Amino acid sequence: MLRIHTMRSQILVGFVGVMTVVLCVFGASTYQSVSLLLKNNSSGHIEQTAVQANGRLDALLEQTNALTAQIMTDGYVQELLLHELKGRQADFTQRQGLLQVISRFQSYSTGVNRVELYAADGRRLFPMDDQSLGARVSPKDIQAADSGLGRLAWLGIDPGDSSSVLSLRRINLMDRWYSHGGYLLLSLDRSYFDFQTPYPLGRMTEMMILADHDGSPIAMNTKIPLPVQELLDSTSSTVPINGEEYILVKQPSESTGWTLMILTPVRDVTKGISVLRQALLLSGAAGFVLFIVLSYLLSGLITRPILRLIKAMRGARDGVLKPNLEHSRTMELQELNHTYNQMADNINALIKLVYEKELVQSQTELRALQAQINPHFLYNTLEAFYWSLSDKGEEELADLVVAMSHMFRYVIGGSGKQEWVTIGDELEHIERYLHIMRMRFGLRLFWSVDCPDSCRATPIPKLLIQPLVENAIVHGIEGKVEGGRVRIAIEELGQLGGQRLAVVVEDNGAGMEAKALESLLLSIRSGTPVSTKGTGLGLRNVKRRLELYYHDQAGALSVESTPGAGTVVRFEIPREEGESA
């Protein structure tokens, strides 16, 4: 009988536990992978079906589009609306003539319940009553038709008739430079969009829903109440409905803004997984029993030599370390015996060595903790300033202290932080610096930051752009009484985003004379200062860091300046998304 506190029992339990975890993880991952594969295959098949159904919908919409195009370009309709636009309202006979025109075209289309024609001011011309366009549709719908510039706008379910769907189209007058002439409103039967064709989904009991942009169902092949709006907002591939999981596939229509959704029960997709589950359980059980037997035998091979060594070491209980004279044919056990025999001679030296190492480690940890206290003290002091100013109502100065705290954290940071940041982080730091400068310059300082969202994740050395902004303020804006503007821009070079970015810092400050600009460029190239005021120091620093970080991949640092108009500093860097190595 095994005792749990012995090494053999512990090795056996440990091996069995590891094997159990391995079998469970492997079985679960295999089961999950096969299930996911079946679901993905079914999802692809369902998506293909959705594309086919959406193609039929597009064909119906194209038929409706062609009908409205024929009506709106009819010569009689164009002439009547042109007279209306000129102020000559159509009389009863002219409006009666629209019946023949619209009936002729309507006879070629199915599903159209009603065709209504309105003048540009919203007055109905056909049918002949006094109802206005504003009473039929909302101003938002009219605006959608106007923004379409003649394209058909699908409005959704008719508020006055839930069995109909409305579409609105603006009529442009061809003889008047395609100016606005009126509106054409169509009312189509919702059954026109029903799913009449059985799509090949095997024996799956799928549900199909066509919903408009407001989440109202246009057509459904089921009578089960469904949360259509929740389905539209869902980003998951599976959704629960009435306690059952369904695979959700959505296919939006660009021409209408509507969405076709197909719901398929997961159980119909994963019917074959039960056989796989049984096979995994049987193979796992067989492997588990086999591993118990092998683990028991292996633990005996390991523990028996160790037990013999323990018997020899028990002689040290009297305070005398005796060597183990028994030899073993196992290389590892023989090495263990040799190590034990040397232990008596080396034990004092080892204790001393361990003590010295622990002492050095303690001193190192104390120095590390002291190094952490220094910036911590600065942050805590700034936080004390902030709360003191906030309690006194000095909100502006308190915000300044917060901005300074963020700047210090960014600049000095922790010693373990990398020197690379993203362009988004660098621009946020520049914004904080500019807000602090606004405290000094007031309304004399304005700025703008232009950076595409696709460029904000690009890595860049920390504080590479900020010195250029500081130069623009100190040497450009500070000398102007009326102040000025600083523009920071990140530009993509080449087509389709390109592989390079241009960094531009521009100001409309005092600018430089040609001689001063030439002297500055010479200072940047040679690395020598222009004067004792530090002019060119920031630019030389940026140029040198570009060379060190990017080598030959960075573009040259260029400076353009016009007296009284301002200065533009520009350089290029390679575009590499993500964190730099």
Side-chain angles (χ1 to χ4, degrees), residues 264-332:
T264 304
V266 174
R267 56 178 170 79
D268 290 349
V269 178
T270 58
K271 288 181 178 178
I273 297 181
S274 59
V275 177
L276 173 65
R277 182 169 56 248
Q278 294 176 0
L280 289 174
L281 291 176
L282 291 176
S283 60
F288 182 76
V289 173
L290 179 62
F291 193 78
I292 289 179
V293 176
L294 294 178
S295 298
Y296 182 80
L297 297 177
L298 180 61
S299 63
L301 294 176
I302 296 174
T303 57
R304 277 194 296 268
I306 296 177
L307 290 175
R308 288 196 298 267
L309 179 60
I310 292 174
K311 182 178 180 180
M313 294 176 65
R314 283 175 179 171
R317 290 180 176 179
D318 298 332
V320 179
L321 295 177
K322 298 180 181 181
N324 180 24
L325 301 178
E326 184 177 351
H327 296 278
S328 176
R329 289 176 295 180
T330 304
M331 183 178 64
E332 290 80 2

Side-chain angles (χ1 to χ4, degrees), residues 182-470:
Y183 298 94
L184 185 65
L185 181 66
L186 261 68
S187 175
L188 295 92
D189 198 302
R190 287 178 63 177
S191 61
Y192 183 64
F193 302 97
D194 285 345
F195 305 106
Q196 301 173 354
T197 303
Y199 297 100
L201 288 177
R203 292 177 294 174
M204 300 180 184
T205 56
E206 80 288 347
M207 294 183 289
M208 304 178 70
I209 308 101
L210 178 63
D212 62 12
H213 43 75
D214 292 329
S216 300
I218 302 297
M220 300 173 62
N221 68 342
T222 179
K223 295 182 179 180
I224 300 176
L226 298 174
V228 179
Q229 187 61 52
E230 294 182 8
L231 295 176
L232 287 174
D233 297 337
S234 176
T235 57
S236 175
S237 59
T238 59
V239 293
I241 298 177
N242 296 333
E244 186 174 359
E245 288 289 326
Y246 284 79
I247 297 177
L248 173 62
V249 175
K250 294 186 282 188
Q251 185 72 27
S253 174
E254 296 181 359
S255 57
T256 62
W258 298 349
T259 303
L260 174 66
M261 294 179 288
I262 297 181
L263 293 167
T264 304
V266 174
R267 56 178 170 79
D268 290 349
V269 178
T270 58
K271 288 181 178 178
I273 297 181
S274 59
V275 177
L276 173 65
R277 182 169 56 248
Q278 294 176 0
L280 289 174
L281 291 176
L282 291 176
S283 60
F288 182 76
V289 173
L290 179 62
F291 193 78
I292 289 179
V293 176
L294 294 178
S295 298
Y296 182 80
L297 297 177
L298 180 61
S299 63
L301 294 176
I302 296 174
T303 57
R304 277 194 296 268
I306 296 177
L307 290 175
R308 288 196 298 267
L309 179 60
I310 292 174
K311 182 178 180 180
M313 294 176 65
R314 283 175 179 171
R317 290 180 176 179
D318 298 332
V320 179
L321 295 177
K322 298 180 181 181
N324 180 24
L325 301 178
E326 184 177 351
H327 296 278
S328 176
R329 289 176 295 180
T330 304
M331 183 178 64
E332 290 80 2
L333 184 59
Q334 184 64 28
E335 181 66 23
L336 184 61
N337 289 336
H338 178 68
T339 303
Y340 168 75
N341 292 333
Q342 291 180 335
M343 182 177 60
D345 298 332
N346 299 331
I347 189 168
N348 293 328
L350 290 175
I351 291 176
K352 181 179 179 181
L353 180 61
V354 170
Y355 173 76
E356 291 176 350
K357 286 184 177 180
E358 289 181 352
L359 182 62
V360 172
Q361 182 178 1
S362 299
Q363 293 175 350
T364 304
E365 291 179 355
L366 286 175
R367 286 195 295 268
L369 291 174
Q370 182 64 35
Q372 293 177 359
I373 290 175
N374 293 334
H376 237 358
F377 173 75
L378 175 60
Y379 300 148
N380 291 338
T381 303
L382 289 175
E383 184 175 2
F385 285 164
Y386 168 76
W387 287 112
S388 177
L389 293 171
S390 180
D391 291 340
K392 294 178 181 180
E394 299 288 347
E395 296 296 337
E396 187 174 6
L397 292 178
D399 292 340
L400 176 61
V401 171
V402 171
M404 290 177 62
S405 176
H406 288 308
M407 282 189 60
F408 288 148
R409 289 180 187 273
Y410 182 82
V411 173
I412 61 180
S415 59
K417 291 190 176 179
Q418 297 181 358
E419 296 181 3
W420 290 80
V421 297
T422 63
I423 287 182
D425 294 335
E426 181 76 358
L427 293 179
E428 288 180 6
H429 168 68
I430 291 173
E431 290 268 13
R432 291 191 289 267
Y433 170 75
L434 289 170
H435 278 292
I436 293 176
M437 290 296 100
R438 171 66 66 83
M439 296 293 297
R440 175 186 174 188
F441 291 96
L443 296 180
R444 293 176 55 212
L445 176 62
F446 297 91
W447 67 85
S448 62
V449 179
D450 301 325
C451 178
D453 292 340
S454 58
C455 300
R456 289 186 173 270
T458 303
I460 190 173
K462 184 189 291 186
L463 299 177
L464 188 65
I465 306 176
Q466 192 266 346
L468 304 181
V469 178
E470 182 177 354

